Every structure is written in structure tokens, then in C-alpha cells.
Amino acid sequence: MGKGFLDNSARECDPATNLARPVRKKPTMSTISSLFVTRLYKAALSDHGAVDVAELEASCLSIAEDDEAGQDWCEENGYPGYTSYASLTDLPWRFPIFEQVKAALDKHVAAFAEDLAFDLEGRALKLEDMWINILPEGGIHTSHIHPHSVISGTTYVAMPEGTSALRLEDPRSAMMMAAPARRKDAPEELRTFVYVKPVVGEVLLWESWLRHEVPMNMAEDDRISVSFNYSWG
């Protein structure tokens, strides 16, 4: 008999007996699908509104110099460089350039939410917080996620030659399974870690559960970025 399997739900006429018999079907070719895909959004911030990056950089440096509460928090918590994360929660209200950044980000985030097929039930994702990051030479930002948010991301203000990329981690690593390491030539979508080197003026978006970090800044100049979270509800 030929290879295959009997499908009892389908019948054909046996010419020898003139009786109905099950149809023998040939097995289909094997297929491999990608499931539970992790999406990364990358675009020019200016695609959804003009933002003067030089003015944004000057504002970040000026704020860092004047924000004594932020400086104290960084020193007390051993944070290299400067972040406004714990000191200034209303940058778009305080500084017009950050209001322009927010206006552009709102549109980028809406586009990403559409790509992710989110059912927002008529409610938009809203900016929850926005903060400045200034990493000097030797500064790092260790691996972390952004709990209680939906979409997180960063727009890049100063990326000197030789500065660190963003490192993204396969979220399944936390399952602690006994899988072997991936080969060095594995396709990007199968790697445990993916490094993304953004350029000034770009924005990256990802779902907030995606673990990420900034390895050590090996450049002599500051690496400057603005990060943010969007929530729903």
C-alpha cells in the first residue's frame, strides 16, 4: 500500500467492489512557524513631527546641571552620570522641547500599538513618565524591565563614536530551561541577545516586559538619551 493515512471522514468509490472506502491522503510537507513574536519598532523621531535634536541635547545638559535632587539621587544610588528619573516627572510641562518630543512620541506609539494589534477599546496609550539619561565614559545601565507599563522606549540625543549599543534579551531566558547555547551564526531572531546600535534622532519602542540594558559606554563623550513609558487605562 502507498504511504499515507486513512481519512475516515472522506470516502471514494472502490472500482473493484463498487463500495465506498476511506480516502488515503498523503502526508503534508513539514512546516516551521514563528510564534509569540517580539516586535521592535525603529524610526526617525522626526517622522511624526520636527524636533531640534541640538536644542534637545542642550536642554538635557542644562537640566542635568541644575537638577540637584537628581544629582543627589544618582550619587546615593550609585548611578553613573545623571538621570532625571527620580526627580523630574513633568518634563513636557516644564520645557517646550520636551512637549514637542511627547507630541511626536504619541504618534509613534499609536503606530506601534496598531502593529501589535492591541485592542485598546477606544482608549489611547498615554505617556506615563519621561526622563533624561546621561552616561559618561564607563557608565552602564544594568538589565531591567519596566513593570506596570505597556510600551517603553528611548529616543537618542547624543551617540558618540564607540558608545554602547542597546542590548535586548530573549524573554524566554527566564524560563531556566536546559537548552544549549545558540550558535554564533544563528539568525538574529533566534539569538539570546540582540544588540541594536541606534543613531541620533532615532526612536526605539518595545513592549515593556522586554528585558534590556546599556553596556558600558566606552566612548570618551557622554551618551545622552530620553526614555519613556506609556500606560493604558
Side-chain angles (χ1 to χ4, degrees):
M1 298 181 66
K3 294 181 179 179
F5 63 94
L6 293 178
D7 182 356
N8 289 313
S9 65
R11 299 278 174 167
E12 66 180 2
C13 181
D14 185 341
T17 64
N18 205 30
L19 297 175
R21 65 182 182 188
V23 174
R24 182 171 296 278
K25 289 189 174 181
K26 294 182 179 179
T28 58
M29 297 292 289
S30 61
T31 61
I32 298 177
S33 302
S34 294
L35 304 176
F36 314 116
V37 176
T38 300
R39 307 287 277 174
L40 177 67
Y41 178 102
K42 183 178 181 181
L45 181 64
S46 59
D47 283 352
H48 286 301
V51 175
D52 187 332
V53 178
E55 181 183 348
L56 182 58
E57 179 179 359
S59 297
C60 289
L61 293 171
S62 176
I63 292 166
E65 184 176 353
D66 294 338
D67 181 17
E68 294 183 2
Q71 296 168 15
D72 291 343
W73 184 92
C74 293
E75 184 175 352
E76 291 168 3
N77 291 273
Y79 185 88
Y82 167 80
T83 180
S84 65
Y85 180 77
S87 54
L88 297 174
T89 59
D90 55 358
L91 290 176
W93 181 81
R94 288 173 178 264
F95 307 96
I97 188 67
F98 284 94
E99 177 59 34
Q100 295 172 26
V101 171
K102 176 188 177 300
L105 289 177
D106 285 347
K107 296 176 181 178
H108 283 288
V109 169
F112 190 36
E114 181 65 24
D115 174 82
L116 292 168
F118 281 154
D119 182 3
L120 298 177
E121 300 178 355
R123 292 173 286 160
L125 296 175
K126 295 182 179 180
L127 180 69
E128 183 177 19
D129 39 34
M130 175 188 291
W131 62 97
I132 299 165
N133 309 292
I134 300 180
L135 279 182
E137 182 180 11
I140 63 172
H141 195 178
T142 55
S143 179
H144 62 285
I145 60 174
H146 293 216
H148 312 300
S149 300
V150 177
I151 290 176
S152 299
T154 299
T155 188
Y156 295 86
V157 182
M159 295 289 287
E161 183 68 27
T163 194
S164 45
L166 177 71
R167 187 169 94 151
L168 304 170
E169 180 180 330
D170 183 345
R172 295 166 296 185
S173 297
M175 303 303 176
M176 304 296 289
M177 305 308 290
R182 304 286 185 182
R183 298 194 309 268
K184 291 183 178 180
D185 63 348
E188 183 178 68
E189 63 269 21
L190 293 178
R191 296 175 190 169
T192 303
F193 298 101
V194 173
Y195 292 82
V196 180
K197 186 67 178 292
V199 300
V200 170
E202 280 188 333
V203 57
L204 298 180
L205 303 176
W206 55 85
E207 291 186 73
S208 301
W209 44 256
L210 182 60
R211 186 168 291 277
H212 56 284
E213 67 178 290
V214 180
M216 184 177 292
N217 178 17
M218 303 301 291
E220 294 182 357
D221 296 325
D222 291 340
R223 181 188 193 275
I224 305 175
S225 62
V226 175
S227 297
F228 45 86
N229 291 321
Y230 276 72
S231 60
W232 180 65

